[in-house]
Amino acid sequence: MDSVRLIEQWPVDNASTAVVGADGRVLATHGDTSRVYPLASVTKLLTAYTALIAIEEGVVELDTPAGPESSTIRHLLAHTSGLGFDAHKVMAPPGTRRLYSNAGFEQLTAALEQHSTIPFRDYQSEALFGPLAMRDTVLDGSPAAGAKSTVDDLAVFAAELQRPTLIDPRTLAQATSVVFPGLSGVLPGFGHQKPNDWGLGFSIRDHKSPHWTGENSSPATFGHFGQSGTFLWVDPEAGAACVALTDRTFGPWSIEVWPPFTDAVLAELRGQDLR
């Protein structure tokens, strides 16, 4: 795929990318895919998926109380617990606003630790990283933004997000569907969105504009981007996923180059009829 070479034009020192088909095949790569990068908020995808595994294992349920009063695991995953961005301070009643919250993910993992009696890092390593052989992925900080990984490892995870082996496909379908629909909020880096649709830990493309995915990304596209200049998206209609990791902090450059990159990848995928 020639489109992945566009990362050579990005204003970064290092960038690595991979495109993964729905059948798990790595369709294309470019850059050093074994290089370890900080993921920033792409970490939330790994944390959310671990939470889904815990739910299926009976550690907690979506309606298990967690976080602020009247909040649940569901609220924390969907950024509707009412907690602020980084401060563990209640800004709104649960279920009323989409307040993107790192603090919410920290309280989510605190609840998982309480109910499992296992440190979250250990649980995640045993439940997710180990089974998928993600050997170079570690959580070295906040469960909201503290993981480090490689394109190689995240390509395996991107395959899991298309054909899950660790959870029931119906669980993933629920997690990548809109939860608490109609709530507005701020998409970090891209301004106020109405609605700001979100799943259970997964940002959903829907019809948001502007957005970090492409203009031609399907509304069903889900994933996350990180402030360390990273992203992972899955487009079910295209039958593919894409991972891109860089060593430059998110900024105007990202907004300029990411969408056309995604559109070029999608155009090439559709031209090759790889679905």
Side-chain angles (χ1 to χ4, degrees), residues 16-252:
S16 311
T17 189
V19 179
V20 183
D23 61 359
R25 287 184 301 145
V26 176
L27 304 176
T29 66
H30 199 62
D32 182 358
T33 59
S34 65
R35 181 185 178 92
V36 176
Y37 295 86
L39 300 184
S41 283
V42 173
T43 300
K44 291 183 176 70
L45 296 180
L46 303 174
T47 298
Y49 210 78
T50 304
L52 297 178
I53 294 171
I55 289 167
E56 288 209 345
E57 290 183 345
V59 174
V60 291
E61 298 178 354
L62 282 173
D63 291 325
T64 297
E69 184 178 356
S70 300
S71 173
T72 65
I73 296 291
R74 189 192 313 270
H75 288 106
L76 292 170
L77 280 167
H79 297 288
T80 58
S81 70
L83 286 169
F85 176 61
D86 273 325
H88 292 256
K89 179 181 179 181
V90 177
M91 308 294 290
T96 62
R97 293 173 61 190
R98 189 86 64 189
L99 297 175
Y100 181 81
S101 177
N102 288 334
F105 266 64
E106 291 167 358
Q107 295 202 18
L108 167 69
T109 56
L112 294 176
E113 287 188 347
Q114 176 187 354
H115 287 275
S116 69
T117 69
I118 302 172
F120 179 75
R121 286 182 180 83
D122 295 343
Y123 189 93
Q124 184 174 59
S125 180
E126 295 174 8
L128 179 60
F129 300 156
L132 294 186
M134 297 171 66
R135 298 181 181 87
D136 294 315
T137 304
V138 295
L139 179 60
D140 187 23
S142 168
K148 298 177 181 178
S149 190
T150 65
V151 165
D152 287 335
D153 275 9
L154 290 184
V156 175
F157 183 59
E160 172 72 13
L161 291 177
Q162 295 179 88
R163 290 191 177 179
T165 62
L166 302 180
I167 60 174
D168 191 297
R170 292 171 295 184
T171 300
L172 181 60
Q174 181 182 13
T176 55
S177 300
V178 180
V179 183
F180 301 104
L183 296 182
S184 61
V186 173
L187 180 63
F190 290 87
H192 194 270
Q193 303 281 340
K194 185 178 182 179
N196 189 19
D197 287 337
W198 220 274
L200 297 173
F202 296 85
S203 175
I204 298 174
R205 175 68 173 88
D206 204 358
H207 299 285
K208 298 185 182 79
S209 181
H211 199 257
W212 54 274
T213 60
E215 289 187 8
N216 296 318
S217 296
S218 76
T221 298
F222 60 87
H224 221 292
F225 82 90
Q227 287 291 324
S228 56
T230 57
F231 68 73
L232 187 163
W233 55 253
V234 177
D235 189 333
E237 291 189 12
C242 183
V243 178
L245 305 181
T246 79
D247 58 0
R248 183 178 180 184
T249 302
F250 171 88

